[in-house]
Amino acid sequence: MSINQNILLQEKLVQGHLSLSKKTQLLLMCSLGLNCLTLVLELSGWLIAYIVISLLWQSSIYLKLVAQPNRLIKLLVSIAGLFLLALSAKQLGLLNSMVHLLVFSYLLKPLELTSRKDFYIQVLLGIFVLVTSLVFIQSLYFMLLVLLFLTINFMLLFSIFYKTASHKTLAKGVTTTLIKSIPLTLLLFIGFPKIAPFWQMPAAQNAQVGLSDEVKVGDIAKLALSNKLAFRVEFDQAPPNYQQMYWRTLVLEDFDGIKWYQRKDNYQNLWQQQLQEEPDFSSIIGLSKLPLVSYQVIVEPNFQQWLFGLNIMTNVKSEQQTVNKNRDFTLTANKKLNSVTSYRVTSALTDHINIILTPTARNRNLLVNERNNQALADEGQRLRRLYQDDLSLVKAVLTRFNQQNYHYTLNPPLLSNNSLSEFYFDTKAGFCEHYASSFTYLMRSAGIPARMVLGYLGGEYNQRGNYYSVYQRDAHAWSEVWIAGRGWLRIDPTAAVSPERVETGFSELLQQEQNMLSSDLFASFNASQWFNQLRYMFEAIDYQWTKWVVGYSINDQINVINALYLTFVQHKRLIIAISVLMLAMIVVLISLRKKNKASRFPTEVLLLNKLIKSANKLGILKTPTLTADQLAQHIISEKPSASAAVLTFINTFKKVHYQSLSADERVKEIDKLKQQFKQLTSQLKQSG
């Protein structure tokens, strides 16, 4: 039987399974569980159950508690999994279905490890599953976790070659390999062309996060309990004041008596066309005199299409998405935000949009549905009779909110049929959408065009990173009323009830209420200064990662290459000189390393090794290592004419290597050995 056949035979166990050491089996189970763990938030319950059962089952097989499954069992397990995948495919969407299929095949592959080829496929599948998780999460800390799991995957691969090495030795070898790959990775990241893919990544059907295009009283109060990051903003110059940071997101002009919404009826295509029609900025009176502010927005994946900006967004630029400036002065992306998205905005800071209101828009923003709110509609008509001036009427409602016993809270009492009348006259306790919704309804009832605006207010400043973080808890609702001569005027009824909410953010009392109602495990630590400082530091590091690595685009790459080229042109001589010097240093270091390596062995041993290499090159030997006597026998048998020279060299070698010689005697014998080596190699070449 040949050597190759012996190797193949040793690779297999009885029942056709690859022979793996206990160390490799442990690493295989660990890598399988950890790789799947990175995708656990994207996986269905049935597949998570499959993962747990698979780990237990395969561990039992390797521990020899149960036998290897036969073909029928494998077939039934595969068909059952594919059947469940087919049932859930429509709900999952194309992308998540592909991810489920990948993970499912990864789980089944260990049952078919019959050769090293199968083992390599299993390792490759594991790495592919691991990096697939980066499609959904790109934060720095998740990336570090992926890197740790990648190390374990490579340890698994190394363990098949170094069967006697300990886990510590494997980890050290993998870490060294990964560190050595960093320079090449950086070079490829910075300079390798970022070519657009020839295919399009299918969208994931994930649950939408954040604001919705339908809102009823109580919805934003629930959203304000979330400490999830919505987006981050970095200003090019001094940032505006907190009370100017109204992040405009959605404008709701329709009310059915229960909720405010954006109209989506049989004319949906026409509605979308009107919504995405770029607004006429030239019709805004006094726009050119307004102060401008420029900033970069980095949005977290929310699986929505709307974007965020301050006031009147006059200019928007994004390399990742096509951004639409809508007729209601909001922004939308062409596609849902399935990944971190960055864009730049220039905004005019103002609390009003001085634009002429068309008859159609006026009628739409005066519509009143008296369902569940008859008393509030009557109140609006009563106020109209008392105040002929629109601004006086607005002021009267805000004064009522400020002076009467209204309460700003995240935990308002439930309202019958979401009745605004019940809130306004009876409960008098609510969050921003309660006040904005009832105020907007009152204005319409009084004959003043009004609409609801949703977005976010303020943001948390991070001094370490010089940017603002806007969280879901900052979600906010306010009103816009149309006043002749001023256009759409922003009115925030919350400012009349809780001024500190508009000026600085949550009050201490409201923050305590949020911490108590929130399901966030770390909410109670938000009041701790040391915890916040630590959080700011980690968030600032993650922000820089998101900005410079995740957001590194083709234009950034071109700018970097251009900058490097200009630097080279300007300092060409210096760069060439430094490059030559570094090359010379590398050559010297390599030669010194070789010299140091050679100095570890005596001269006679080095000469013997050279003779073995020479004999190998001439085809005399097939073995890389031999003793001195074995070497002599091989050469004499192949080249009898060189027998005298070989024996002379070997005898001198033994004398130098094994006998105790004085320093002078050793020098003389080494010189003699070198001469004998030259003569012997010359004879071998001539006879060859």
Side-chain angles (χ1 to χ4, degrees):
M1 186 178 290
S2 66
I3 295 176
N4 290 336
Q5 289 174 327
N6 278 323
I7 293 173
L8 290 174
L9 186 61
Q10 291 172 6
E11 284 184 348
K12 298 186 179 182
L13 275 176
V14 181
Q15 300 177 346
H17 209 66
L18 179 65
S19 175
L20 299 176
S21 65
K22 290 184 178 180
K23 175 182 58 189
T24 302
Q25 293 171 18
L26 177 62
L27 288 171
L28 180 62
M29 293 298 102
C30 286
S31 62
L32 193 149
L34 294 175
N35 293 339
C36 293
L37 181 64
T38 59
L39 285 167
V40 69
L41 296 178
E42 312 300 327
L43 301 180
S44 301
W46 67 265
L47 188 54
I48 294 175
Y50 247 90
I51 293 171
V52 174
I53 294 171
S54 178
L55 286 172
L56 294 174
W57 187 17
Q58 293 176 32
S59 298
S60 300
I61 292 172
Y62 285 119
L63 292 173
K64 298 182 180 180
L65 299 177
V66 296
Q68 277 286 336
N70 56 39
R71 285 189 176 183
L72 179 60
I73 294 176
K74 294 177 186 178
L75 183 62
L76 291 175
V77 170
S78 303
I79 292 175
L82 292 174
F83 178 73
L84 290 171
L85 180 58
L87 288 179
S88 56
K90 186 175 181 180
Q91 181 182 359
L92 291 171
L94 181 57
L95 177 59
N96 280 349
S97 295
M98 293 167 62
V99 171
H100 277 62
L101 183 60
L102 173 65
V103 173
F104 185 62
S105 62
Y106 177 51
L107 291 175
L108 295 181
K109 187 60 183 175
L111 299 176
E112 294 289 341
L113 296 183
T114 58
S115 66
R116 281 203 177 191
K117 180 183 71 174
D118 294 322
F119 178 80
Y120 299 149
I121 293 174
Q122 174 69 13
V123 174
L124 187 61
L125 274 174
I127 294 173
F128 198 64
V129 167
L130 183 61
V131 298
T132 299
S133 63
L134 297 176
V135 172
F136 304 97
I137 306 175
Q138 294 98 26
S139 73
L140 173 61
Y141 304 111
F142 185 77
M143 181 65 189
L144 293 176
L145 185 66
V146 169
L147 188 60
L148 174 62
F149 292 173
L150 184 64
T151 302
I152 296 173
N153 279 268
F154 279 124
M155 286 174 62
L156 171 62
L157 182 61
F158 278 34
S159 68
I160 202 73
F161 298 104
Y162 306 102
K163 295 184 177 180
T164 59
S166 63
H167 288 102
K168 183 177 179 181
T169 304
L170 290 174
K172 184 178 179 181
V174 171
T175 304
T176 303
T177 303
L178 291 176
I179 291 173
K180 288 179 179 178
S181 68
I182 290 176
L184 180 60
T185 303
L186 291 175
L187 183 63
L188 292 175
F189 176 77
I190 294 172
F192 193 80
K194 297 176 72 68
I195 303 171
F198 299 108
W199 62 89
Q200 184 174 338
M201 179 71 74
Q205 292 188 2
N206 293 63
Q208 296 178 337
V209 178
L211 296 171
S212 171
D213 56 359
E214 293 184 356
V215 62
K216 57 181 181 291
V217 290
D219 286 351
I220 297 182
K222 295 176 184 176
L223 184 60
L225 299 180
S226 171
N227 290 318
K228 187 177 179 62
L229 180 66
F231 58 95
R232 289 179 281 204
V233 184
E234 184 174 349
F235 291 93
D236 295 347
Q237 56 279 110
N241 296 327
Y242 191 95
Q243 56 267 32
Q244 292 178 297
M245 291 188 188
Y246 280 85
W247 301 101
R248 189 183 188 89
T249 307
L250 289 162
V251 175
L252 309 182
E253 296 181 301
D254 296 283
F255 183 64
D256 63 4
I258 295 178
K259 65 179 182 296
W260 294 88
Y261 62 96
Q262 288 185 337
R263 185 177 300 172
K264 293 180 181 178
D265 48 23
N266 294 331
Y267 301 98
Q268 184 174 7
N269 293 333
L270 177 62
W271 173 84
Q272 288 179 343
Q273 182 180 355
Q274 291 175 344
L275 183 66
Q276 294 175 0
E277 181 182 350
E278 186 164 323
D280 183 10
F281 290 105
S282 62
S283 63
I284 302 177
I285 302 171
L287 179 63
S288 60
K289 298 179 182 179
L290 295 174
L292 299 177
V293 60
S294 298
Y295 49 94
Q296 181 181 21
V297 182
I298 300 178
V299 185
E300 293 296 301
N302 56 28
F303 308 99
Q304 309 270 22
Q305 286 183 257
W306 33 84
L307 302 174
F308 319 99
L310 295 174
N311 306 110
I312 306 174
M313 291 156 275
T314 58
N315 188 32
V316 185
K317 183 179 180 182
S318 176
E319 297 171 3
Q320 298 172 264
Q321 284 269 17
T322 300
V323 179
N324 303 305
K325 292 186 288 185
N326 305 319
R327 62 173 177 79
D328 56 7
F329 300 95
T330 59
L331 302 176
T332 51
N334 266 15
K335 303 172 186 174
K336 291 184 178 181
L337 306 183
N338 296 324
S339 59
V340 175
T341 303
S342 174
Y343 57 96
R344 295 195 60 80
V345 188
T346 300
S347 292
L349 295 180
T350 180
D351 62 354
H352 66 279
I353 306 173
N354 196 354
I355 192 170
I356 298 173
L357 192 65
T358 64
T360 303
R362 172 182 287 275
N363 292 334
R364 185 174 185 179
N365 288 282
L366 283 173
L367 286 176
V368 174
N369 189 322
E370 296 182 357
R371 173 188 176 191
N372 304 323
N373 298 295
Q374 183 62 52
L376 195 59
D378 294 341
E379 174 69 6
Q381 295 170 13
R382 186 188 72 81
L383 290 171
R384 180 81 283 177
R385 291 191 294 270
L386 290 176
Y387 302 96
Q388 296 303 311
D389 179 66
D390 289 348
L391 286 177
S392 298
L393 194 152
V394 168
K395 185 177 179 181
V397 177
L398 295 179
T399 301
R400 175 187 172 93
F401 283 148
N402 180 259
Q403 295 182 358
Q404 294 197 20
N405 191 29
Y406 284 90
H407 181 53
Y408 195 66
T409 176
L410 285 167
N411 191 24
L414 295 176
L415 302 173
S416 302
N417 296 320
N418 295 290
S419 172
L420 299 179
S421 296
E422 185 179 354
F423 158 73
Y424 189 80
F425 293 108
D426 301 326
T427 63
K428 296 183 179 181
F431 199 53
C432 58
E433 71 270 29
H434 292 71
Y435 294 97
S437 185
S438 58
F439 177 84
T440 304
Y441 188 89
L442 264 176
M443 293 301 103
R444 288 189 174 190
S445 301
I448 301 175
R451 59 192 187 184
M452 275 266 287
V453 184
L454 301 183
Y456 295 84
L457 175 60
E460 182 182 70
Y461 181 62
N462 189 318
Q463 289 183 330
R464 294 180 178 272
N466 192 32
Y467 68 92
Y468 285 83
S469 295
V470 181
Y471 299 92
Q472 297 298 345
R473 64 171 180 259
D474 298 314
H476 195 58
W478 61 93
S479 301
E480 284 184 344
V481 296
W482 192 86
I483 305 296
R486 299 194 66 180
W488 285 110
L489 178 64
R490 181 177 71 228
I491 303 294
D492 189 354
T494 296
V497 185
S498 178
E500 62 272 23
R501 169 71 182 99
V502 175
E503 294 172 1
T504 59
F506 280 11
S507 64
E508 185 176 348
L509 184 62
L510 197 65
Q511 185 65 60
Q512 290 175 359
E513 190 176 7
Q514 200 261 1
N515 292 342
M516 186 171 59
L517 295 172
S518 175
S519 59
D520 187 355
L521 295 175
F522 299 100
S524 58
F525 291 96
N526 288 335
S528 173
Q529 186 175 1
W530 70 266
F531 178 80
N532 281 331
Q533 290 300 319
L534 188 65
R535 180 169 62 86
Y536 290 156
M537 181 181 69
F538 285 119
E539 287 181 353
I541 296 172
D542 182 66
Y543 173 69
Q544 297 302 326
W545 166 267
T546 304
K547 180 179 177 181
W548 296 109
V549 179
V550 178
Y552 186 69
S553 65
I554 180 64
N555 286 343
D556 294 327
Q557 189 178 58
I558 292 172
N559 292 335
V560 169
I561 293 173
N562 286 338
L564 292 174
Y565 176 74
L566 290 175
T567 303
F568 176 77
V569 171
Q570 293 173 359
H571 308 284
K572 181 167 61 175
R573 293 182 179 179
L574 179 61
I575 292 174
I576 292 174
I578 293 174
S579 300
V580 171
L581 181 62
M582 290 181 65
L583 184 61
M585 290 177 62
I586 291 171
V587 171
V588 170
L589 288 173
I590 292 173
S591 62
L592 287 174
R593 185 177 179 183
K594 285 185 176 181
K595 187 176 180 180
N596 290 335
K597 188 176 180 181
S599 64
R600 298 175 192 171
F601 301 98
T603 305
E604 67 274 14
V605 174
L606 294 175
L607 289 172
L608 183 68
N609 289 334
K610 285 182 179 181
L611 181 58
I612 293 173
K613 289 180 180 179
S614 298
N616 279 324
K617 289 179 181 179
L618 294 172
I620 299 171
L621 302 178
K622 303 294 183 184
T623 308
T625 57
L626 289 172
T627 64
D629 290 333
Q630 289 173 338
L631 175 63
Q633 291 174 6
H634 273 284
I635 294 177
I636 291 171
S637 62
E638 294 290 334
K639 304 290 182 182
S641 59
S643 58
V646 170
L647 292 174
T648 302
F649 174 83
I650 294 301
N651 290 332
T652 307
F653 169 81
K654 290 180 178 179
K655 181 178 180 181
V656 172
H657 194 64
Y658 297 111
Q659 294 182 16
S660 298
L661 302 175
S662 64
D664 292 339
E665 288 176 337
R666 179 174 174 79
V667 170
K668 290 179 181 179
E669 292 298 327
I670 288 292
D671 290 338
K672 187 189 299 184
L673 187 65
K674 289 178 180 179
Q675 292 296 326
Q676 293 170 356
F677 173 77
K678 289 180 181 180
Q679 293 174 4
L680 176 57
T681 52
S682 177
Q683 284 188 24
L684 291 175
K685 288 178 181 179
Q686 289 176 3
S687 62

